[in-house]
Amino acid sequence: MPDGNIVEVDSGVYLVAGSSTNWVIVRDGDTATLVDTGYPRDRERLLASLAAVGVAPDGVAAVLITHAHNDHMGAAEHLRLTHGTPVLMHPAELAHARREFLHQVSVGRVLANGWRPGVLPWAVHALRAGGTAHIPVVEPQPFPEEGGLDVPGRPVPVLTPGHTDGHCAYHLPGTGILITGDALVSGHPTSRRRGPQLLPPMFHRDRGRALDSLSALEGLDAGILLPGHGPVIHTAVGTAVAHARELATLESRPSGAP
Ligand SMILES: [Zn+2]
Ligand SMILES: [Zn+2]
Protein backbone atom coordinates (compact mmCIF):
# COMPACT_ATOMS: atom_id res chain seq x y z
CA MET A 1 0.00 0.00 0.00
CA PRO A 2 -0.68 2.39 -1.48
CA ASP A 3 -1.49 0.42 -4.57
CA GLY A 4 -4.27 -0.09 -7.07
CA ASN A 5 -6.74 -0.67 -4.24
CA ILE A 6 -7.04 3.05 -3.58
CA VAL A 7 -8.60 5.38 -6.11
CA GLU A 8 -8.68 9.10 -5.34
CA VAL A 9 -11.94 10.12 -7.02
CA ASP A 10 -11.73 13.74 -5.95
CA SER A 11 -9.40 15.75 -3.76
CA GLY A 12 -9.28 13.86 -0.46
CA VAL A 13 -12.02 11.36 -1.37
CA TYR A 14 -10.83 7.78 -1.83
CA LEU A 15 -12.64 4.62 -2.84
CA VAL A 16 -10.74 1.67 -1.42
CA ALA A 17 -11.27 -1.89 -2.65
CA GLY A 18 -11.08 -4.44 0.14
CA SER A 19 -11.06 -8.18 -0.45
CA SER A 20 -14.50 -7.90 -2.06
CA THR A 21 -16.18 -4.86 -0.51
CA ASN A 22 -15.33 -1.17 -0.83
CA TRP A 23 -15.00 1.52 1.79
CA VAL A 24 -14.61 5.27 1.38
CA ILE A 25 -12.25 7.69 3.10
CA VAL A 26 -13.19 11.37 3.05
CA ARG A 27 -10.12 13.22 4.27
CA ASP A 28 -9.85 16.75 5.59
CA GLY A 29 -6.24 17.45 6.57
CA ASP A 30 -5.23 14.66 8.92
CA THR A 31 -8.79 13.77 9.92
CA ALA A 32 -11.31 11.76 7.96
CA THR A 33 -14.75 10.28 7.75
CA LEU A 34 -14.71 6.57 7.04
CA VAL A 35 -17.73 5.09 5.31
CA ASP A 36 -17.89 1.32 5.92
CA THR A 37 -15.00 -0.89 7.01
CA GLY A 38 -14.88 -4.08 4.90
CA TYR A 39 -14.96 -7.66 6.15
CA PRO A 40 -13.55 -8.53 9.58
CA ARG A 41 -10.45 -9.96 7.89
CA ASP A 42 -9.98 -6.72 5.91
CA ARG A 43 -8.94 -4.88 9.04
CA GLU A 44 -5.22 -4.69 8.28
CA ARG A 45 -5.99 -3.56 4.76
CA LEU A 46 -8.34 -0.91 6.13
CA LEU A 47 -5.73 0.43 8.56
CA ALA A 48 -3.11 0.37 5.80
CA SER A 49 -5.41 2.39 3.52
CA LEU A 50 -5.83 5.05 6.20
CA ALA A 51 -2.06 5.22 6.68
CA ALA A 52 -1.55 5.43 2.91
CA VAL A 53 -3.64 8.60 2.70
CA GLY A 54 -2.08 10.13 5.81
CA VAL A 55 -4.76 9.51 8.42
CA ALA A 56 -3.98 7.84 11.76
CA PRO A 57 -6.72 5.63 13.24
CA ASP A 58 -7.23 8.27 15.94
CA GLY A 59 -7.83 10.80 13.17
CA VAL A 60 -11.03 9.08 12.05
CA ALA A 61 -13.75 11.46 13.22
CA ALA A 62 -16.52 8.94 12.66
CA VAL A 63 -17.31 5.66 10.99
CA LEU A 64 -20.52 5.93 8.98
CA ILE A 65 -22.13 2.61 8.23
CA THR A 66 -24.23 2.16 5.09
CA HIS A 67 -25.70 -1.00 6.58
CA ALA A 68 -24.83 -3.60 9.17
CA HIS A 69 -23.70 -6.51 6.99
CA ASN A 70 -20.47 -8.21 8.01
CA ASP A 71 -18.68 -7.16 4.84
CA HIS A 72 -19.28 -3.46 5.62
CA MET A 73 -19.08 -3.40 9.39
CA GLY A 74 -16.11 -5.75 9.91
CA ALA A 75 -13.70 -3.38 11.67
CA ALA A 76 -16.18 -0.87 13.10
CA GLU A 77 -16.22 -2.31 16.62
CA HIS A 78 -12.44 -2.52 16.62
CA LEU A 79 -12.17 1.21 15.86
CA ARG A 80 -14.82 2.04 18.45
CA LEU A 81 -13.20 0.00 21.21
CA THR A 82 -9.57 0.80 20.42
CA HIS A 83 -9.82 4.42 19.33
CA GLY A 84 -13.18 5.57 20.68
CA THR A 85 -14.41 6.26 17.16
CA PRO A 86 -18.15 6.96 17.04
CA VAL A 87 -19.96 4.49 14.76
CA LEU A 88 -22.96 6.25 13.23
CA MET A 89 -25.87 4.93 11.23
CA HIS A 90 -29.56 5.39 10.60
CA PRO A 91 -31.78 4.70 13.65
CA ALA A 92 -33.48 1.91 11.67
CA GLU A 93 -30.14 0.06 11.43
CA LEU A 94 -29.07 0.27 15.10
CA ALA A 95 -30.66 -2.97 16.35
CA HIS A 96 -29.26 -4.79 13.35
CA ALA A 97 -25.76 -3.50 14.13
CA ARG A 98 -26.15 -4.64 17.73
CA ARG A 99 -27.07 -8.05 16.27
CA GLU A 100 -30.42 -8.21 18.00
CA PHE A 101 -31.21 -9.97 14.73
CA LEU A 102 -29.32 -10.63 11.52
CA HIS A 103 -30.78 -9.85 8.13
CA GLN A 104 -27.98 -11.28 6.03
CA VAL A 105 -28.12 -14.00 3.38
CA SER A 106 -28.04 -17.37 5.12
CA VAL A 107 -25.63 -20.17 4.31
CA GLY A 108 -28.64 -22.30 3.28
CA ARG A 109 -29.85 -19.69 0.81
CA VAL A 110 -26.36 -19.31 -0.61
CA LEU A 111 -26.12 -23.08 -1.11
CA ALA A 112 -29.54 -23.13 -2.77
CA ASN A 113 -28.12 -20.59 -5.24
CA GLY A 114 -24.86 -22.51 -5.57
CA TRP A 115 -25.58 -23.47 -9.18
CA ARG A 116 -25.36 -19.83 -10.25
CA PRO A 117 -22.06 -18.68 -11.74
CA GLY A 118 -19.66 -17.28 -9.19
CA VAL A 119 -21.73 -18.08 -6.09
CA LEU A 120 -19.63 -20.90 -4.61
CA PRO A 121 -16.22 -19.19 -5.03
CA TRP A 122 -17.73 -16.03 -3.55
CA ALA A 123 -19.17 -18.03 -0.61
CA VAL A 124 -15.80 -19.64 0.14
CA HIS A 125 -14.21 -16.19 0.18
CA ALA A 126 -17.00 -14.74 2.34
CA LEU A 127 -16.55 -17.49 4.94
CA ARG A 128 -12.78 -17.01 5.03
CA ALA A 129 -13.10 -13.24 5.31
CA GLY A 130 -15.38 -13.43 8.34
CA GLY A 131 -18.74 -13.22 6.60
CA THR A 132 -20.43 -15.35 9.26
CA ALA A 133 -18.47 -14.04 12.27
CA HIS A 134 -20.47 -12.58 15.15
CA ILE A 135 -19.33 -8.96 15.15
CA PRO A 136 -21.89 -6.68 16.78
CA VAL A 137 -21.24 -3.00 17.31
CA VAL A 138 -22.15 -2.83 20.98
CA GLU A 139 -22.95 0.88 21.07
CA PRO A 140 -23.80 2.17 17.62
CA GLN A 141 -25.08 5.75 17.52
CA PRO A 142 -27.88 7.30 15.51
CA PHE A 143 -27.01 10.35 13.43
CA PRO A 144 -26.75 13.23 15.92
CA GLU A 145 -28.40 15.76 13.62
CA GLU A 146 -30.69 16.08 10.63
CA GLY A 147 -29.18 16.60 7.19
CA GLY A 148 -25.43 17.05 6.74
CA LEU A 149 -23.28 15.53 9.45
CA ASP A 150 -20.60 17.60 11.18
CA VAL A 151 -17.68 15.41 10.07
CA PRO A 152 -15.26 15.72 7.12
CA GLY A 153 -17.15 16.04 3.82
CA ARG A 154 -20.39 16.93 5.64
CA PRO A 155 -22.04 13.78 4.23
CA VAL A 156 -25.82 13.79 4.02
CA PRO A 157 -27.41 10.40 4.79
CA VAL A 158 -30.00 9.26 2.26
CA LEU A 159 -32.26 6.53 3.62
CA THR A 160 -32.48 3.74 1.04
CA PRO A 161 -34.12 0.74 2.74
CA GLY A 162 -34.62 -2.63 1.10
CA HIS A 163 -31.17 -4.20 1.02
CA THR A 164 -31.53 -3.86 4.81
CA ASP A 165 -34.21 -1.96 6.73
CA GLY A 166 -31.98 0.99 7.61
CA HIS A 167 -29.57 1.16 4.67
CA CYS A 168 -28.26 4.66 3.93
CA ALA A 169 -26.38 6.13 1.02
CA TYR A 170 -24.28 9.24 1.69
CA HIS A 171 -24.22 12.31 -0.52
CA LEU A 172 -21.27 14.68 -0.42
CA PRO A 173 -22.89 17.96 -1.41
CA GLY A 174 -21.04 20.22 -3.81
CA THR A 175 -18.78 17.43 -5.06
CA GLY A 176 -21.11 15.38 -7.27
CA ILE A 177 -20.14 12.34 -5.20
CA LEU A 178 -22.67 9.82 -3.92
CA ILE A 179 -21.65 6.83 -1.80
CA THR A 180 -24.30 4.28 -2.70
CA GLY A 181 -23.29 1.29 -0.55
CA ASP A 182 -25.31 -1.79 -1.45
CA ALA A 183 -28.33 0.22 -2.66
CA LEU A 184 -26.69 0.47 -6.10
CA VAL A 185 -23.54 -1.42 -7.06
CA SER A 186 -21.46 -1.78 -10.22
CA GLY A 187 -20.59 -5.46 -9.99
CA HIS A 188 -20.32 -8.44 -7.67
CA PRO A 189 -18.53 -11.81 -7.89
CA THR A 190 -21.97 -13.46 -8.19
CA SER A 191 -23.16 -11.20 -11.03
CA ARG A 192 -22.09 -11.51 -14.64
CA ARG A 193 -23.11 -7.93 -15.34
CA ARG A 194 -21.04 -4.77 -15.09
CA GLY A 195 -22.26 -1.26 -14.56
CA PRO A 196 -25.02 0.12 -12.34
CA GLN A 197 -27.24 -2.64 -10.92
CA LEU A 198 -28.95 -3.98 -7.84
CA LEU A 199 -27.22 -6.86 -6.09
CA PRO A 200 -28.58 -10.31 -7.00
CA PRO A 201 -31.97 -11.01 -5.36
CA MET A 202 -30.77 -13.37 -2.61
CA PHE A 203 -28.84 -10.57 -0.92
CA HIS A 204 -31.79 -8.26 -0.23
CA ARG A 205 -34.00 -8.23 2.80
CA ASP A 206 -36.77 -6.82 0.55
CA ARG A 207 -35.88 -6.52 -3.12
CA GLY A 208 -39.05 -4.59 -4.04
CA ARG A 209 -38.24 -1.99 -1.43
CA ALA A 210 -34.62 -1.82 -2.64
CA LEU A 211 -35.95 -1.12 -6.12
CA ASP A 212 -38.30 1.59 -4.78
CA SER A 213 -35.41 3.19 -2.89
CA LEU A 214 -33.65 4.01 -6.13
CA SER A 215 -36.04 6.95 -6.39
CA ALA A 216 -34.40 8.48 -3.31
CA LEU A 217 -31.13 8.60 -5.26
CA GLU A 218 -32.11 9.51 -8.81
CA GLY A 219 -32.74 13.22 -8.24
CA LEU A 220 -29.50 13.93 -6.36
CA ASP A 221 -26.79 16.10 -7.86
CA ALA A 222 -24.26 13.32 -8.43
CA GLY A 223 -22.18 11.96 -11.30
CA ILE A 224 -19.51 10.05 -9.37
CA LEU A 225 -21.02 7.04 -7.64
CA LEU A 226 -19.04 5.03 -5.11
CA PRO A 227 -20.68 1.62 -4.65
CA GLY A 228 -20.20 -0.99 -1.93
CA HIS A 229 -19.16 -3.49 -4.61
CA GLY A 230 -17.52 -2.89 -7.98
CA PRO A 231 -15.62 0.06 -9.45
CA VAL A 232 -16.46 3.78 -9.45
CA ILE A 233 -19.45 4.66 -11.67
CA HIS A 234 -18.87 7.84 -13.68
CA THR A 235 -22.47 8.36 -14.76
CA ALA A 236 -25.19 10.80 -13.75
CA VAL A 237 -27.11 9.10 -10.97
CA GLY A 238 -30.42 9.42 -12.85
CA THR A 239 -28.96 7.47 -15.78
CA ALA A 240 -27.41 4.87 -13.48
CA VAL A 241 -30.72 4.36 -11.70
CA ALA A 242 -32.56 3.96 -15.01
CA HIS A 243 -30.03 1.32 -16.04
CA ALA A 244 -30.38 -0.59 -12.77
CA ARG A 245 -34.18 -0.52 -13.03
CA GLU A 246 -34.07 -1.87 -16.57
CA LEU A 247 -31.84 -4.79 -15.52
CA ALA A 248 -34.06 -5.47 -12.51
CA THR A 249 -37.11 -5.69 -14.77
CA LEU A 250 -35.33 -8.21 -17.00
CA GLU A 251 -34.36 -10.29 -13.99
CA SER A 252 -37.93 -10.24 -12.65
CA ARG A 253 -39.25 -12.04 -15.75
CA PRO A 254 -39.82 -15.74 -15.04
CA SER A 255 -37.82 -16.72 -18.11
CA GLY A 256 -35.12 -14.09 -17.50
CA ALA A 257 -31.57 -15.17 -16.92
CA PRO A 258 -30.40 -14.59 -13.34
ZN1 LIG B 1 -24.99 -5.79 2.13
ZN1 LIG C 1 -22.06 -5.69 0.61
Side-chain angles (χ1 to χ4, degrees):
M1 304 286 271
D3 54 31
N5 294 337
I6 305 179
V7 179
E8 185 170 16
V9 293
D10 190 13
S11 177
V13 182
Y14 308 87
L15 181 72
V16 186
S19 61
S20 81
T21 307
N22 301 324
W23 56 87
V24 177
I25 302 169
V26 183
R27 188 176 55 78
D28 182 1
D30 56 4
T31 70
T33 301
L34 178 61
V35 182
D36 285 347
T37 64
Y39 272 107
R41 294 264 166 80
D42 282 338
R43 187 203 293 175
E44 290 309 316
R45 201 193 281 231
L46 176 81
L47 296 173
S49 70
L50 288 169
V53 304
V55 176
D58 283 335
V60 177
V63 173
L64 308 186
I65 293 295
T66 60
H67 67 295
H69 280 162
N70 270 28
D71 56 325
H72 297 257
M73 210 173 69
E77 183 68 356
H78 168 80
L79 288 168
R80 193 186 72 81
L81 283 178
T82 313
H83 302 282
T85 319
V87 179
L88 308 180
M89 63 194 70
H90 192 275
E93 199 69 4
L94 293 169
H96 194 198
R98 290 190 295 257
R99 288 293 182 261
E100 292 171 18
F101 52 81
L102 179 59
H103 290 158
Q104 185 168 283
V105 67
S106 66
V107 172
R109 194 152 180 226
V110 169
L111 290 177
N113 281 272
W115 58 272
R116 294 176 191 269
V119 169
L120 288 180
W122 166 81
V124 168
H125 168 75
L127 285 172
R128 286 190 181 141
T132 54
H134 182 63
I135 50 143
V137 173
V138 175
E139 290 180 15
Q141 296 176 36
F143 303 130
E145 55 250 326
E146 290 276 313
L149 302 171
D150 190 17
V151 291
R154 298 203 63 84
V156 180
V158 184
L159 181 62
T160 36
H163 180 67
T164 64
D165 291 347
H167 185 288
C168 274
Y170 295 95
H171 188 217
L172 303 181
T175 64
I177 296 173
L178 177 63
I179 300 162
T180 58
D182 282 5
L184 181 68
V185 303
S186 61
H188 191 268
T190 63
S191 166
R192 283 172 294 175
R193 303 188 191 276
R194 297 186 186 278
Q197 59 189 288
L198 290 184
L199 281 166
M202 70 169 169
F203 292 112
H204 301 296
R205 160 102 170 121
D206 183 336
R207 183 173 180 270
R209 212 171 164 212
L211 201 48
D212 290 345
S213 279
L214 292 174
S215 12
L217 302 179
E218 66 183 330
L220 296 172
D221 177 18
I224 303 171
L225 315 182
L226 309 184
H229 302 272
V232 182
I233 304 169
H234 290 280
T235 307
V237 66
T239 309
V241 162
H243 188 73
R245 278 191 186 128
E246 199 178 305
L247 286 179
T249 310
L250 290 175
E251 285 166 0
S252 297
R253 285 183 195 153
S255 60

